[in-house]
Amino acid sequence: MVKIITVYGLLLLQAMGRTLLLALLGLFFACFIGLIFGMMGVVKNRVANIISQIFVDAIRGVPMIVLAFFVYFGVPYFFNTIIGGFSVSLSALSAGTICLALNCGAYMAEIIRAGIQSVDIGQMEAARSLGLTYGMAMRKVVLPQAIRTMIPTFINQFIITLKDTSILSVIGFPELVNTAKNVQANTFMSFQTWAIVGIMYLIVITILSRSAKVIERRLSVGR
Amino acid sequence: MADNNEIKISVKNLKKYYGDLQVLNDINIDVNKGEVVVIIGPSGSGKSTFLRCLNRLETATDGTIIIDGIDITSRHTNINKVRENIGMVFQHFNLFNNLNIIDNLTLAPTQLKKCSKEEAAAKARKMLAKVGLEDKAASYPSQLSGGQKQRVAIARALCMEPGIMLFDEPTSALDPEMVGEVLQVMKDLAADGMTMVIVTHEMGFAREVADRVIFIDGGYIVEEGTPQEVLLNPKETRTIDFLNKVL
């Protein structure tokens, strides 16, 4: 145990850094994807509703490991070999970010859609009756109230996404699990290695979920 | 009756369907400037739907609705512009829960660039004073009683300086002891010459304030006239039945 920490500790910490980087990048883009498809799910437009639903169903219906292989190997193969004439290649980081953004974005879209729909329709009607446009009413009245109910679920989704980065070890991105595999291969100390990795995840995620509780309590004060 | 004969609202052959269900059947109403029209009728009779058609919260299936000379059933009408001139008060108040009272009042005037932030705040305070709630400017809706919320809702609508006010059962969700304070604000408004269309079950208020009472049942206008005519000497059996139940 001590040997792994002294010899490989820095390596594992750096790998944890890359895990967090990947998770943050994925989350950043997931927010946009979630907002776009979430809004498309609530606007009064059948086509937008259907597109949003298809996106969410498609991403939720595919395991992320399959999505990862598809984006990292499948998409370049499609352009370079099936169509031909391209030389597309994705780094493991970009492919991983795309996978996380799509996967987490689909869940965020559902969270945003449900959050908006949880706000009483009377709020929108009152805003519109004063002459505000749909966009103004959404930005100034509905979304601020929806976000309050969404934040705890968001943080929960962040935690899931952080854990899901481990799946991306399969496409060779040197995040924590992938790095730990190498440590184990070098030292043969599988018990110690995986115990340390487990504790590292546990610490980061516990900090996240504790702060989620604090934020949740702060938000409920003004109610 | 109305001070002059300028027609503020003109409804012609209004029909409204939900699928196959016809909720409004060929409604024809003109409302003059300064007139107070009270609509009564059993629940499910279409009276709220009718009121919500007047600012297009519900879209008419057929017929025309002309507000201040503008046909709001036309696709080309900018409904937001028309709504700026029609205040609406809801049964469940619908104050913006994320904003304090003063921001509830100033949101629309500032967003729609009717005036500067300072002017909007000054006007909001004046309107709050008018409904007797100056001291609540910094409170949040959740800290107010039902009667106070509804008075704020009226003040919020008045901040847009509308020419028409619509009231959709404004006292139905209130505790009995709070009904009076809201009706008083509405009476003051009527005395100021506001054009008002009110859906209510408050028959005493209707008798006292209305210029005209309209009884709607099954999506039809069954009877209309002065409060004296409709409430005290109804001619139609359906009106008589209804009044016997509620009075």
Side-chain angles (χ1 to χ4, degrees):
Chain A
M1 195 75 121
V2 176
K3 185 193 161 201
I4 287 190
I5 291 173
T6 50
V7 179
Y8 296 101
L10 188 63
L11 201 66
L12 288 173
L13 276 178
Q14 285 168 339
M16 181 48 119
R18 283 190 295 271
T19 288
L20 288 171
L21 173 73
L22 182 60
L24 285 175
L25 278 175
L27 284 168
F28 178 76
F29 293 109
C31 286
F32 291 102
I33 292 175
L35 196 59
I36 290 166
F37 285 97
M39 291 302 297
M40 282 172 71
V42 291
V43 294
K44 270 192 193 160
N45 182 320
R46 291 277 304 185
V47 178
N49 297 161
I50 290 169
I51 292 173
S52 161
Q53 199 55 55
I54 289 174
F55 170 76
V56 170
D57 285 347
I59 297 295
R60 283 206 300 202
V62 176
M64 204 168 78
I65 193 163
V66 176
L67 189 65
F69 285 140
F70 183 76
V71 170
Y72 189 61
F73 298 115
V75 171
Y77 179 79
F78 175 78
F79 283 105
N80 303 344
T81 310
I82 297 181
I83 294 186
F86 292 89
S87 58
V88 175
S89 75
L90 280 171
S91 71
L93 179 61
S94 351
T97 303
I98 292 170
C99 288
L100 281 179
L102 286 174
N103 190 64
C104 181
Y107 287 97
M108 297 262 260
E110 280 296 276
I111 295 168
I112 288 168
R113 186 189 58 74
I116 290 171
Q117 286 174 346
S118 75
V119 176
D120 179 25
I121 183 86
Q123 298 284 311
M124 177 57 96
E125 286 185 349
R128 297 304 306 275
S129 80
L130 290 163
L132 296 176
T133 62
Y134 180 87
M136 288 174 183
M138 198 44 99
R139 277 198 313 278
K140 294 290 174 177
V141 176
V142 177
L143 277 180
Q145 294 182 54
I147 285 169
R148 270 190 162 191
T149 63
M150 285 188 270
I151 280 178
T153 336
F154 265 151
I155 295 174
N156 196 34
Q157 187 57 45
F158 290 177
I159 291 170
I160 293 170
T161 301
L162 181 63
K163 292 207 274 190
D164 279 352
T165 55
S166 60
I167 295 172
L168 297 169
S169 60
V170 298
I171 57 171
F173 182 73
E175 45 68 68
L176 187 53
V177 168
N178 204 3
T179 307
K181 269 198 226 162
N182 295 336
V183 174
Q184 184 209 335
N186 284 342
T187 61
F188 301 108
M189 292 193 260
S190 49
F191 176 82
Q192 294 90 326
T193 310
W194 294 113
I196 287 169
V197 168
I199 289 166
M200 287 173 76
Y201 275 114
L202 192 63
I203 290 169
V204 171
I205 286 163
T206 306
I207 291 170
L208 261 179
S209 58
R210 288 293 127 189
S211 41
K213 282 253 154 47
V214 173
I215 293 170
E216 212 175 316
R217 240 195 332 267
R218 290 251 174 91
L219 281 173
S220 62
V221 169
R223 289 230 165 141
Chain B
M1 279 298 269
D3 305 336
N4 59 48
N5 282 337
E6 188 189 328
I7 295 176
K8 297 288 282 182
I9 303 172
S10 176
V11 178
K12 289 203 169 47
N13 310 110
L14 171 62
K15 296 191 179 85
K16 171 75 183 173
Y17 293 85
Y18 289 122
D20 287 335
L21 180 72
Q22 188 165 13
V23 285
L24 292 175
N25 294 295
D26 206 26
I27 303 277
N28 289 282
I29 294 177
D30 281 344
V31 179
N32 291 318
K33 187 171 186 195
E35 200 178 5
V36 176
V37 175
V38 167
I39 299 171
I40 59 170
S43 61
S45 60
K47 53 193 192 315
S48 281
T49 306
F50 166 70
L51 196 74
R52 291 162 57 87
C53 283
L54 296 182
N55 67 352
R56 215 160 92 183
L57 282 184
E58 302 282 350
T59 48
T61 312
D62 198 10
T64 54
I65 300 168
I66 310 222
I67 308 281
D68 288 321
I70 299 164
D71 181 3
I72 64 161
T73 51
S74 159
R75 287 173 138 269
H76 306 292
T77 300
N78 179 357
I79 191 65
N80 294 324
K81 270 278 165 248
V82 180
R83 281 173 177 160
E84 288 181 15
N85 196 38
I86 310 176
M88 189 166 201
V89 175
F90 299 84
Q91 180 177 358
H92 296 289
F93 330 124
N94 297 349
L95 296 184
F96 306 136
N97 297 320
N98 56 319
L99 301 175
N100 67 16
I101 301 307
I102 197 89
D103 290 344
N104 261 273
L105 269 64
T106 56
L107 178 70
T110 50
Q111 282 291 307
L112 298 168
K113 314 259 189 298
K114 301 280 274 189
C115 53
S116 71
K117 240 183 141 57
E118 293 73 29
E119 285 167 342
K123 196 195 296 162
R125 284 180 198 285
K126 214 174 89 189
M127 290 303 164
L128 281 179
K130 192 174 172 146
V131 300
L133 291 169
E134 287 161 289
D135 53 328
K136 298 291 183 191
S139 302
Y140 275 83
S142 60
Q143 298 165 318
L144 268 51
S145 72
Q148 291 172 330
K149 281 184 198 170
Q150 197 60 298
R151 281 145 68 198
V152 169
I154 294 171
R156 178 177 66 182
L158 291 176
C159 278
M160 290 297 289
E161 299 181 334
I164 299 168
M165 286 284 286
L166 309 176
F167 294 83
D168 189 3
E169 303 201 27
T171 57
S172 298
L174 296 177
D175 291 337
E177 76 266 26
M178 291 169 184
V179 171
E181 63 192 63
V182 172
L183 292 182
Q184 188 55 50
V185 170
M186 291 167 65
K187 278 180 203 170
D188 295 346
L189 210 52
D192 289 347
M194 177 64 77
T195 308
M196 296 160 79
V197 183
I198 304 162
V199 172
T200 188
H201 294 293
E202 294 292 329
M203 296 304 155
F205 174 81
R207 202 155 48 206
E208 200 180 331
V209 181
D211 295 309
R212 187 153 39 122
V213 174
I214 295 173
F215 175 65
I216 293 184
D217 191 17
Y220 290 95
I221 294 183
V222 176
E223 194 163 354
E224 69 172 297
T226 63
Q228 199 74 16
E229 289 165 352
V230 178
L231 298 176
L232 301 179
N233 305 297
K235 293 180 192 67
E236 302 288 332
T237 44
R238 273 195 286 176
T239 319
I240 296 166
D241 283 349
F242 174 72
L243 290 173
N244 280 338
K245 277 180 204 144
V246 296
L247 288 178

